[in-house]
Amino acid sequence: MIPDPSAPAPPVRRKPLLAVLLAPLFMALIAVSVINVALTAIGESLDADSGGLQWVISGYALAFGMLLVPAGRTGDATGRRRMFVIGVGVFTLGSLLSGLAPTVETLNLARILQGVGSGLFNPQTVALIQQHFRGHERARAFALLATTAAVATAAGPVFGGLLIEILGPDQGWRWIFLMNIPIGLVAIVGAFRFIPDDKARGRTRPDLDPIGTILLCLAILGVMLPFLERGGGALVWLSFPVGLAVLGGWWVWEQRYKRSGRPPMVDTAIFSNHAFRNGILIVSVYFLGVTSVWIIVPLYLQMHLQHTAFEASLMGVPSSIAAAISSQIAGRYVLTLGRRMVIIGFAIAFCGLGGTALLAGFVENEVVAFWWLAAPLTLMGLSQGMTISPNQTLTLNSVDPRFGGVAGGILQLGQRTGAAVGTAMIPGIIFSLTEGGHAWFEAFVIAIAIIMALTLAAMAVSFADRAREKANPGAL
């Protein structure tokens, strides 16, 4: 059964607990951010075609997204420490197999295993922060989580590029994966020492709603597959409406399961919580647009302006530093400012996007050097720190910590779905425009304008939630 929050809890050493939770998260985020830099070396080393290389990314993303909510529910019901350890162990094993992979097919299977592990432990990270931290301590913990994400995003491509440069294209990419092994082993040892044992010890086995779990996994697979299997043709796109239909069937099943007196995997009543529902919508729309910036800027610099991949990767470093700093500041004031913090973050993102489009014209005409684009892009990092972790704090504050795993899984699923759709849609628009005869600069500005529109949409939802906050001052 889900633990009773009123029951006495053993004392927790919060600082080492947080370090244990964030270490594998850093490891997993490095594995995501570094892979684009490593793809060329992997292709040369394993003699892989573009289809095989695509699944180095897509296999991980699908496995990760499919397991977020079921893993969160399982952790809530059976014990979060156990699920965390299993997830880190599976991810570490996947890293070992990735580093030793003799073929691209083996590498893709190992990457799927990494995605499974990441999907298992990520919801536990959010749920354990939700469970063991309160008030401003929780806001600061989520801020440190955001800082970890920002540092990993910045360090991944640079560190990966250096490994490939030092060890060569055949060995460098392998050590990108193998370096995760000691981190994973230390995190497992730390988990047993610093995460309280919360394993359910009832005589009856918990009801995990297996049919609901299968239906949701199939729905996520159907919805996400067309955006990850790029170039798959019309047949792959048929999975999207099928996925939506299965999602509808899952919703009906969960409600029926609850009416029968059994605990559903996701109690759909959670979506009647305005703060939670708005938070999911905000982060999904935000990720739909803003994550694409870090794809289209390198594309513009490399494919049009002929800069190197390393030069393009450096453009994100100031932004990530800004995100790391702003997330810490936001963690101190988010409970005081509420949704105003998120609204300010979106306003800064809008200015950063506009500045990027404007400055790109000067770069295009060689009035200024390309690295000047890092200035408005730094505003994007500043915005990230003021939106993602504050939104997470405000959204999860409205949810009972007993259901933190499910809530955290749903929140991260919104992020992953938004990112998957956006990173397929926005670059796709650029390629369609350039192949249709439009200039690269024109296509780039149009894509930025679309992202600006999505940012305004997310801001509009934030304003609506701010109105709810004002109407219910005690809602935080």
Side-chain angles (χ1 to χ4, degrees):
M1 295 295 291
I2 295 172
D4 183 352
S6 63
V12 176
R13 296 173 61 187
R14 289 184 177 84
K15 288 185 178 179
L17 168 63
L18 193 58
V20 167
L21 296 178
L22 295 183
L25 178 69
F26 181 83
M27 177 176 68
L29 289 169
I30 285 281
V32 173
S33 65
V34 77
I35 199 65
N36 286 327
V37 175
L39 281 179
T40 301
I42 292 171
E44 293 174 358
S45 176
L46 300 181
D47 193 25
D49 59 18
S50 59
L53 290 176
Q54 176 182 318
W55 276 95
V56 175
I57 299 174
S58 300
Y60 178 95
L62 273 176
F64 176 64
M66 287 171 63
L67 286 175
L68 283 169
V69 180
R73 163 67 174 132
T74 304
D76 289 346
T78 66
R80 290 164 182 158
R81 186 180 78 172
R82 181 171 62 173
M83 288 298 296
F84 180 85
V85 170
I86 291 171
V88 174
V90 171
F91 184 92
T92 304
L93 177 61
S95 298
L96 174 63
L97 296 177
S98 295
L100 300 177
T103 65
V104 72
E105 290 80 14
T106 307
L107 177 59
N108 284 331
L109 290 174
R111 284 285 289 169
I112 289 172
L113 197 60
Q114 276 192 310
V116 168
S118 189
L120 290 174
F121 76 72
N122 262 275
Q124 319 314 323
T125 300
V126 175
L128 285 165
I129 291 175
Q130 180 86 339
Q131 178 181 352
H132 293 293
F133 295 81
R134 293 289 184 273
H136 287 285
E137 278 195 343
R138 180 187 293 170
R140 286 193 289 269
F142 279 130
L144 194 56
L145 186 151
T147 299
T148 302
V151 172
T153 301
V158 177
F159 188 65
L162 287 174
L163 278 178
I164 292 171
E165 184 72 24
I166 294 169
L167 300 177
D170 184 53
Q171 293 299 316
W173 71 265
R174 295 182 183 277
W175 279 98
I176 287 172
F177 296 112
L178 294 175
M179 69 179 183
N180 290 329
I181 296 170
I183 300 175
L185 293 176
V186 169
I188 290 172
V189 173
F192 282 112
R193 182 171 181 182
F194 297 113
I195 301 177
D197 184 7
D198 55 357
K199 181 180 177 181
R201 290 182 169 81
R203 292 186 177 182
T204 59
R205 296 179 62 182
D207 186 345
L208 297 178
D209 184 13
I211 293 179
T213 300
I214 293 171
L215 286 175
L216 183 61
C217 288
L218 291 175
I220 294 168
L221 175 63
V223 169
M224 292 184 68
L225 183 61
F227 300 100
L228 297 173
E229 178 59 38
R230 297 165 194 176
L235 187 61
V236 172
W237 279 98
L238 286 176
S239 73
F240 184 76
V242 172
L244 291 179
V246 175
L247 186 63
W250 167 81
W251 184 274
V252 172
W253 171 265
E254 294 296 270
Q255 292 182 322
R256 178 183 175 188
Y257 208 72
K258 182 181 178 180
R259 286 197 300 269
S260 70
R262 304 176 71 180
M265 182 184 66
V266 177
D267 187 343
T268 55
I270 195 172
F271 294 101
S272 64
N273 181 321
H274 293 288
F276 182 75
R277 187 176 65 234
N278 288 345
I280 298 295
L281 185 57
I282 288 167
V283 77
S284 300
V285 175
Y286 179 78
F287 271 72
L288 179 64
V290 171
T291 51
S292 305
V293 171
W294 304 110
I295 294 180
I296 65 173
V297 169
L299 285 176
Y300 176 69
L301 292 175
Q302 292 175 248
M303 298 186 70
H304 177 52
L305 298 181
Q306 305 303 311
H307 290 286
T308 67
F310 185 70
E311 287 174 329
S313 71
L314 291 177
M315 298 298 291
V317 174
S319 175
S320 295
I321 294 171
I325 295 171
S326 66
S327 62
Q328 289 299 304
I329 297 172
R332 295 180 184 178
Y333 299 107
V334 59
L335 295 183
T336 303
L337 294 177
R339 285 289 175 200
R340 285 174 291 178
M341 174 75 73
V342 179
I343 292 168
I344 293 169
F346 284 136
I348 293 173
F350 188 83
C351 293
L353 289 165
T356 301
L358 181 64
L359 201 57
F362 292 98
V363 173
E364 182 81 13
N365 294 312
E366 300 182 350
V367 176
V368 298
F370 79 95
W371 49 263
W372 277 98
L373 285 173
L377 290 173
T378 300
L379 292 179
M380 299 302 298
L382 188 64
S383 155
Q384 178 182 326
M386 299 177 70
T387 51
I388 296 177
S389 65
N391 181 72
Q392 190 169 41
T393 299
L394 296 169
T395 302
L396 294 180
N397 263 4
S398 65
V399 179
D400 190 323
R402 288 180 296 170
F403 308 103
V406 168
I410 295 171
L411 189 63
Q412 292 185 58
L413 180 59
Q415 295 177 4
R416 293 305 101 214
T417 304
V421 175
T423 54
M425 180 180 71
I426 305 296
I429 290 171
I430 285 185
F431 289 132
S432 296
L433 290 171
T434 54
E435 291 168 5
H438 290 266
W440 251 100
F441 172 69
E442 183 182 348
F444 179 73
V445 171
I446 290 172
I448 291 289
I450 293 171
I451 298 172
M452 291 174 75
L454 290 168
T455 303
L456 287 178
M459 187 189 294
V461 180
S462 300
F463 271 113
D465 205 58
R466 171 59 185 157
R468 179 196 58 79
E469 281 183 353
K470 293 173 70 175
N472 302 279
L476 283 179

